[in-house]
Structures are given as C-alpha cells and as structure tokens.
Amino acid sequence: MTIGEVNHLKWKPLFAVLLGLLVIGVTTRSIMAMPINHTQPKPQYAIYGTEWKIDGVYYYTTEYTPEKVVATETCDSSAGCSLSETIQQCIDVTVSGDLEVSAVVVKEKLGVSVGEQICRSITCTGSCNYREEIWFWANSEIPVKKIVQREYVITNHGEIATSNIAFAYIKMGVVPHCRPESHPQGG
C-alpha cells in the first residue's frame, strides 16, 4: 500500500460521516418546512343506533267541554233548601301528533299511561225555595300539554342530539266546574 492509498482510506469514513450529516440536515429542514395539517380527521364514533327521548313538556292550551245539566234536585222543605251534588268528571289520557317515544317513556316521564282514565270530583251547593228545583250544570277544563321529543344517536362516546324533533299533544288531566241554578218545579 502506498502513502496515497493510506491517506485516501482515512478520508473515506470522514467523507461518509459528513455526507450523512448533510443528508440529515436537509431532511430535518424539509420536514420543518412542510405545512402542518390542522384538519386531521377526528376520531370516529361507533354508532349503536338511535333513540327518541322527551326533551320537555310544556303547557299548550286548555279545552273546555260543553256545559250540560248533570243532576237535578227538588226542595221539599217549606223553609227552603241548601242542596248539594258531587259531580265527577273523567277523561281518558289521549295523545295526538307525532309520538316517537314509547308508552313506557310517557309513563316514566309524565306519570300517566296512554288510555288511562283520570277522574276528578267537585261538590256543588245551591239554595232554593220550597218546590223549586236546582239544576246542577257542569263542564270540564282539560289542560293540553305539548311533548317535545328529540332523536339521539347512541355511540360508544355517549349520546349525540340530532336535529330531528317531534311534537305530540297530551290530554292528561281534568278540572271539573259546576254551576247550580234554581228553577220552579217543571220550569
């Protein structure tokens, strides 16, 4: 081996190291110069299905039944009478509109079952003279409530509300009213 060959062998490893450092430096600068992608895809959710839930129950309107005579009584005392009548009014719980939740959910949330009968009583008292009749007129006040329902997507990360909303209207109560009115017998 000559001296020139020995010197040449000394430079080969040094040259390889310098070339390696140069490549690493260029690669690092290239990576740093790349734009950062902020719109990376978000983690995906496993969807297990959908479920409708009641988001709220609100007063909507009040309906009134027609007034009608539900009882009559005649005074048979010459001193006059104070007569009373207990009047019971009943309704069946009904729902109209788009009911998306199940009857079980309605029962849990509102405490009533669709088709259940609800009754309330009121006692009417009126005065009349001898041989007069008292007519007991009655009607019912029925509050109607609005049920707001929303569809939820069930995922492995919980529930996600959708924009799907449905409205239903429920008659779930009755308030009886009465009015005594005296009339001459046969009146």
Side-chain angles (χ1 to χ4, degrees), residues 6-184:
V6 172
N7 285 339
H8 182 63
L9 289 176
K10 287 183 184 177
W11 286 101
K12 276 186 178 181
L14 183 59
F15 181 71
V17 170
L18 288 174
L19 184 61
L21 289 173
L22 180 64
V23 170
I24 291 172
V26 169
T27 307
T28 305
R29 284 193 199 116
S30 298
I31 290 172
M32 290 174 34
M34 286 182 166
I36 297 172
N37 184 2
H38 292 289
T39 59
Q40 293 178 354
K42 295 182 180 174
Q44 295 298 311
Y45 293 93
I47 296 175
Y48 300 124
T50 60
E51 180 181 3
W52 284 89
K53 293 187 173 192
I54 294 178
D55 264 10
V57 179
Y58 308 95
Y59 170 78
Y60 179 67
T61 189
T62 300
E63 295 180 1
Y64 294 90
T65 61
E67 192 178 51
K68 62 181 181 179
V69 175
V70 293
T72 58
E73 291 191 31
T74 304
C75 179
D76 57 4
S77 169
S78 59
C81 298
S82 177
L83 302 172
S84 63
E85 184 74 27
T86 299
I87 297 166
Q88 184 176 31
Q89 300 283 25
C90 298
I91 66 155
D92 292 331
V93 175
T94 58
V95 178
S96 60
D98 297 322
L99 186 64
E100 299 292 344
V101 298
S102 69
V104 173
V105 172
V106 171
K107 175 70 174 173
E108 288 174 358
K109 184 80 173 179
L110 305 179
V112 294
S113 298
V114 177
E116 175 184 342
Q117 189 174 65
I118 295 177
C119 298
R120 300 285 183 266
S121 300
I122 190 170
T123 301
C124 283
T125 303
S127 299
C128 61
N129 298 320
Y130 177 62
R131 296 193 55 118
E132 280 186 336
E133 287 181 334
I134 289 192
W135 295 3
F136 292 99
W137 294 80
N139 74 329
S140 297
E141 176 182 342
I142 302 168
V144 180
K145 298 198 174 176
K146 182 178 188 177
I147 303 172
V148 180
Q149 306 148 93
R150 182 180 298 272
E151 184 182 39
Y152 289 82
V153 175
I154 310 303
T155 73
N156 58 330
H157 292 286
E159 300 171 349
I160 301 170
T162 70
S163 60
N164 296 333
I165 296 175
F167 303 102
Y169 305 89
I170 187 166
K171 297 177 183 178
M172 53 178 281
V174 60
V175 180
H177 297 282
C178 68
R179 176 175 61 84
E181 184 178 278
S182 46
H183 290 272

